[in-house]
Amino acid sequence: MMKSPPPTTKKLFVLTIYFFIFTFSVSATDLTWVGSGAGGSGTDFNTAANWNPAAVPTSSDNVTMTLASNGSCSLSGNITVNNLSTEVQGNNDWYFRMAGNVLTVNGTATFNALNYSSSSDFSYLEIDCDGSPGGFVFNGNTNLHTNGTGDTYVTANTSNQGSMTFNADLTIGAYAYTGPAVEPTFIFDRSGTQTVTFNSVNHFKPAAFTFGVSNSPDVNFVNNNANEDYFTVYDGDVILNNSADVYLDNLNFDSWTGDGNISLNGSAILRLAADSDFPAYYFSTAISSTSTTSYEGDANQVVTAIASPGYGHLRIAGSNTKTSAADFSVRGDFISEGSWNDGNDTHTFNGTADQSIQGTVSPTFYNMVVNKSVGTLYIGVNTAVDNQLDMQDGPIDLSDGTNGYDLIINNTAVSAINWTSGSGAYLVSEKTDFTSTLSWAINTTTGTHIIPFGNAAGTEFPVYLTLSSGDIGIVSVATYPTADDNTPYAPTVTTMDDQYGTDNSANVVNRFWDLNKTNSGAATVRFYYADVDVPSGGESDLQPQRWSGSQWESHADSNPGGSSNDAANNYAEGVDITSFSPWTLATLSQPLPVEMLSYGAYCQEGGAVLNWSTASESDNDYFELQKSDNGIDFYHLAKVKGAGNSTVKIDYTYEDETLIRDSRYYRIKQVDMNGKYEYFGPFSIQACQKGEYYAYYSASIINLNLNLEYSDYITVELRDMSGKIISHYSEEMNQGLTTLELANNLSSGIYLIAIYSENRQADQIKILVP
């Protein structure tokens, strides 16, 4: 009985066998074709006798086919080689046929027909991808006729054409071409970038193009031929799958016969560079909503009108202008990064997911239609509409979710925004910095312009604006909701206290509006609000109130400048509004603060004239004038009826004819209809024989008139409410009238004028700069 070898000996024996097999399998051979066309008669690519040395080519072999006579070869089965070089010399024809089989080349593949002397004396190489799946798989770079002046002809020659799959770079040389019969399909499926360079002076029309089967190739086509239609599809399909990214430089990929279809599937990207247009000459076009068509050439381009359902994402980029050819729809994002001409066409946003208008260049549309049963259209760049914004369905958010932008309507007609209440369409403008705006060039156009605001819950609260007079220019409107305490405050707003210093938030809607205009016209504005905006104090008498920059001003019931409300329909309205700024709605019984513009007294014939002015009044019953000889104990002087409600400046005067021989003090008690009151003053006047003074605001200038009975050294200081001195005068002034200009072009707000003299008690005047 034979003994088994020791374990160590057995292991060594096995390793030796493995080493022998490994070294044998990786050895490479350079094989030269000796069959047909190379001096031999054999035509089978898979037969060892047709190669020198005699061996069937393997995936590690480099094969060279130098052909100096007529002939052909064909595959008898699928086969793989490393590098492949095929060259036809002299006046010879040679045919390379797949016969329904596949030749895979892992390295470089080169096909050349070298010689051309005349139309009857030239090299000819025909590559037949016939049968199914007959053809090539090129895993390395492929060169179709990059040397010589003969003809390299790519065809299929049967109705059951094969294909060429390219997983690396492809160069199509000057004398490569296809015939108008049956051609192979070109497939690009590299996981990465590959470049296709077209240098042919002949037509080269594969049956079809497919980009992406298992992978998402990034394919760059470069056309060095001036004719865009020389490298096109004959009669088949162009298909982009997965996330394939295809760049066409001076190419269109149009179907030569128009019988094929073009499809952009998944997240595929088709980039149209130079002056390339969308491949539109097809029987049908199918574009997924998540695919991208990018017009990014360095020349003028025509943006093709894609039939329904239209583009997915559409990108406008590159240089020169991209012009719309006709109406089309976009179901993805509109990315504006270049010059865009809307062509006076209609462009519809009708995707079934969120969409956006975004980019670095503000686009303008002629007619813009939004018809979205699902999702929101976000405005991520300032966007204009020249003719009509047709809001059929779905929200338009005037922001990109983070930053606000402006949607601009350039048509003055009330029909420039087509909107129907209850349609599910509305504008979302909920940025607390008032940056998400709708701007409308209303100018002198009459009628009611409706800005259809709403919120994410789908609740509508439009703003109705009806021109009252003049030219209002461009009106910009924004709004946002607040918490119950009205925070966050609108820009510049500092308080929600009423005139008694009490927090009035419970009587103010939980929403602010911002209105701005470029010209001086007036308008009636109706503010709608949502149920969630109703203040806890109720909505029975809500009225518009405007923030002047330093205080709240109520819009009164009387005209001009009247107001009204309709709690059942959730709105309040201000008539003939001339000053635009932040607005809110507050109950009439609890108005936001109203302050005096100015108050004081001056001498007249030994007595005194009291004068005071209000910028607005809310529920103001009357003023009680009181006086005192010591500045401490005041008693009744007179009662003056108030205006009730007003938003215009009202000047009041009262003459105290009692002779004033020494100092006298006055104050004003303002009393509401509900009995609440507020004091203004005290202020004083000395012996009236000594003259008078008063201040007024005109033409952006604060003026002070001093009418002195005799010369006096006068000091005048103008301060803001923080106590900061704006201007200061100290000088000897002559008897009679002197007018001082204290300041001009000040910011809106209340200012104090303090007057000191050697012979009079110090006095103070409050004045408002609107």
Side-chain angles (χ1 to χ4, degrees):
M1 182 171 93
M2 292 184 62
K3 294 182 180 180
S4 299
T8 54
T9 305
K10 184 176 182 181
K11 290 181 181 178
L12 179 62
F13 172 76
V14 172
L15 289 172
T16 302
I17 294 296
Y18 287 170
F19 178 77
F20 172 77
I21 294 173
F22 174 76
T23 54
F24 176 79
S25 64
V26 298
S27 62
T29 304
D30 292 335
L31 300 180
T32 302
W33 176 259
V34 292
S36 175
S41 58
T43 61
D44 184 11
F45 190 92
N46 304 60
T47 298
N50 293 324
W51 297 95
N52 181 28
V56 176
T58 68
S59 60
S60 62
D61 294 336
N62 303 317
V63 299
T64 301
M65 308 175 78
T66 303
L67 310 163
S69 61
N70 294 331
S72 67
C73 80
S74 61
L75 271 63
S76 59
N78 297 336
I79 193 167
T80 301
V81 301
N82 187 24
N83 296 312
L84 169 66
S85 175
T86 303
E87 183 179 282
V88 180
Q89 302 173 346
N91 183 24
N92 294 296
D93 297 342
W94 200 81
Y95 301 87
F96 202 143
R97 298 188 174 102
M98 297 298 101
N101 298 299
V102 176
L103 173 58
T104 300
V105 183
N106 288 333
T108 301
T110 303
F111 303 87
N112 287 309
L114 297 185
N115 303 317
Y116 183 90
S117 298
S118 68
S119 59
S120 60
D121 184 8
F122 61 92
S123 304
Y124 178 80
L125 170 60
E126 181 172 304
I127 307 170
D128 295 336
C129 299
D130 51 349
S132 178
F136 292 87
V137 174
F138 298 108
N139 292 322
N141 294 341
T142 304
N143 303 295
L144 295 177
H145 203 120
T146 55
N147 186 27
T149 56
D151 289 346
T152 298
Y153 182 71
V154 177
T155 185
N157 271 348
T158 72
S159 59
N160 191 12
Q161 72 266 25
S163 64
M164 287 185 169
T165 298
F166 301 94
N167 295 322
D169 295 346
L170 167 64
T171 300
I172 301 173
Y175 299 105
Y177 66 102
T178 59
V182 183
E183 310 79 15
T185 293
F186 276 20
I187 300 171
F188 298 88
D189 197 34
R190 182 178 186 178
S191 179
T193 302
Q194 51 191 133
T195 299
V196 180
T197 304
F198 182 69
N199 297 319
S200 180
V201 297
N202 298 302
H203 291 286
F204 200 104
K205 299 180 176 66
F209 281 111
T210 298
F211 301 92
V213 178
S214 301
N215 299 306
S216 298
D218 184 351
V219 185
N220 298 317
F221 282 86
V222 179
N223 182 14
N224 293 322
N225 189 310
N227 297 295
E228 292 181 2
D229 64 345
Y230 267 34
F231 190 28
T232 60
V233 173
Y234 187 73
D235 58 1
D237 301 336
V238 170
I239 303 172
L240 280 65
N241 292 320
N242 306 325
S243 297
D245 190 333
V246 179
Y247 177 92
L248 301 185
D249 186 352
N250 201 31
L251 286 168
N252 289 332
F253 274 1
D254 276 333
S255 173
W256 186 250
T257 65
D259 293 335
N261 307 305
I262 183 166
S263 303
L264 274 64
N265 302 315
S267 299
I269 303 173
L270 179 61
R271 302 179 187 272
L272 304 172
D275 62 347
S276 300
D277 298 328
F278 189 88
Y281 191 44
Y282 283 88
F283 180 76
S284 70
T285 300
I287 301 179
S288 89
S289 61
T290 54
S291 68
T292 300
T293 303
S294 178
Y295 290 85
E296 55 186 74
D298 57 4
N300 293 331
Q301 291 175 278
V302 175
V303 180
T304 302
I306 303 299
S308 178
Y311 288 100
H313 303 305
L314 177 61
R315 179 172 177 258
I316 304 298
S319 57
N320 292 293
T321 302
K322 320 306 176 189
T323 301
S324 173
D327 300 349
F328 60 76
S329 61
V330 178
R331 292 170 297 134
D333 299 334
F334 186 94
I335 305 162
S336 177
E337 297 175 343
S339 177
W340 155 254
N341 183 342
D342 59 39
N344 287 354
D345 298 327
T346 297
H347 300 109
T348 301
F349 292 84
N350 59 353
T352 55
D354 288 343
Q355 297 177 255
S356 68
I357 299 174
Q358 58 180 268
T360 57
V361 179
S362 296
T364 298
F365 298 92
Y366 185 70
N367 292 322
M368 176 176 161
V369 179
V370 179
N371 188 12
K372 295 179 58 60
S373 59
V374 178
T376 298
L377 175 63
Y378 291 89
I379 303 298
V381 62
N382 293 341
T383 301
V385 177
D386 276 347
N387 188 49
Q388 186 182 69
L389 172 62
D390 187 0
M391 299 177 63
Q392 297 181 5
D393 192 7
I396 303 174
D397 194 322
L398 304 176
S399 76
D400 60 6
T402 301
N403 300 309
Y405 295 92
D406 195 15
L407 180 57
I408 307 158
I409 309 299
N410 290 322
N411 182 4
T412 64
V414 295
S415 60
I417 295 181
N418 181 41
W419 174 76
T420 301
S421 178
S423 63
Y426 49 90
L427 299 172
V428 179
S429 169
E430 303 284 79
K431 301 295 293 180
T432 59
D433 56 2
F434 285 146
T435 56
S436 51
T437 56
L438 188 285
S439 295
W440 201 335
I442 295 174
N443 299 328
T444 59
T445 302
T446 58
T448 299
H449 293 74
I450 301 176
I451 298 96
F453 288 131
N455 60 22
T459 304
E460 299 172 355
F461 38 86
V463 172
Y464 284 27
L465 190 147
T466 305
L467 184 70
S468 301
S469 61
D471 182 348
I472 205 167
I474 300 173
V475 175
S476 297
V477 188
T479 184
Y480 73 87
T482 71
D484 289 340
D485 62 356
N486 295 118
T487 59
Y489 288 169
T492 75
V493 172
T494 58
T495 182
M496 300 306 294
D497 290 350
D498 63 16
Q499 64 264 51
Y500 311 107
T502 303
D503 179 23
N504 199 39
S505 299
N507 301 298
V508 181
V509 297
N510 301 330
R511 179 166 292 276
F512 287 110
W513 290 264
D514 189 52
L515 280 74
N516 289 287
K517 59 178 182 170
T518 58
N519 291 339
S520 60
T524 294
V525 182
R526 178 178 293 182
F527 302 88
Y528 282 85
Y529 53 90
D531 286 340
V532 295
D533 299 333
V534 174
S536 59
E539 58 179 322
S540 60
D541 57 355
L542 289 173
Q543 302 289 332
Q545 296 227 325
R546 169 186 172 268
W547 178 255
S548 69
S550 60
Q551 63 185 37
W552 288 101
E553 298 177 352
S554 177
H555 219 62
D557 286 330
S558 59
N559 285 317
S563 61
S564 62
N565 65 78
D566 186 338
N569 291 297
N570 282 25
Y571 74 78
E573 184 173 274
V575 179
D576 295 332
I577 292 176
T578 57
S579 298
F580 281 24
S581 66
W583 287 78
T584 192
L585 309 178
T587 57
L588 185 61
S589 59
Q590 294 290 333
L592 287 166
V594 177
E595 295 189 18
M596 290 280 190
L597 283 179
S598 61
Y599 51 89
Y602 63 90
C603 293
Q604 180 174 289
E605 297 180 356
V609 177
L610 281 68
N611 57 358
W612 66 101
S613 300
T614 62
S616 61
E617 299 176 27
S618 297
D619 202 18
N620 180 25
D621 190 3
Y622 62 89
F623 300 98
E624 180 186 355
L625 307 182
Q626 299 176 353
K627 66 180 180 179
S628 170
D629 295 325
N630 57 15
I632 300 173
D633 302 312
F634 285 87
Y635 55 92
H636 176 81
L637 172 63
K639 181 178 179 180
V640 178
K641 183 64 177 175
N645 296 288
S646 171
T647 57
V648 296
K649 181 175 180 288
I650 299 178
D651 297 320
Y652 294 88
T653 61
Y654 177 82
E655 294 183 15
D656 180 8
E657 298 178 352
T658 304
L659 183 64
I660 300 176
R661 298 188 181 277
D662 205 346
S663 298
R664 183 171 294 168
Y665 301 87
Y666 297 94
R667 68 182 182 185
I668 302 172
K669 180 182 181 182
Q670 181 268 320
V671 183
D672 286 347
M673 292 180 181
N674 61 8
K676 292 185 177 182
Y677 57 87
E678 181 180 10
Y679 285 106
F680 297 91
F683 51 95
S684 65
I685 191 169
Q686 291 193 357
C688 279
Q689 295 85 350
K690 295 183 180 179
E692 60 184 82
Y693 60 81
Y694 63 94
Y696 62 94
Y697 180 80
S698 177
S700 300
I701 299 172
I702 293 179
N703 300 277
L704 176 67
N705 279 356
L706 297 154
N707 192 4
L708 303 180
E709 188 175 358
Y710 46 82
S711 297
D712 200 352
Y713 192 87
I714 303 293
T715 297
V716 178
E717 289 181 348
L718 175 66
R719 299 175 180 266
D720 64 17
M721 294 303 291
S722 69
K724 178 183 177 182
I725 296 177
I726 307 299
S727 61
H728 176 91
Y729 294 87
S730 291
E731 57 184 276
E732 182 76 25
M733 294 186 182
N734 296 325
Q735 179 184 9
L737 180 64
T738 298
T739 300
L740 297 177
E741 291 187 4
L742 301 185
N744 58 27
N745 295 320
L746 293 174
S747 301
S748 298
I750 298 173
Y751 295 84
L752 299 176
I753 304 171
I755 305 169
Y756 310 93
S757 75
E758 291 183 346
N759 300 305
R760 298 182 57 166
Q761 182 175 333
D763 281 295
Q764 181 172 276
I765 299 174
K766 181 187 287 187
I767 189 166
L768 174 69
V769 174

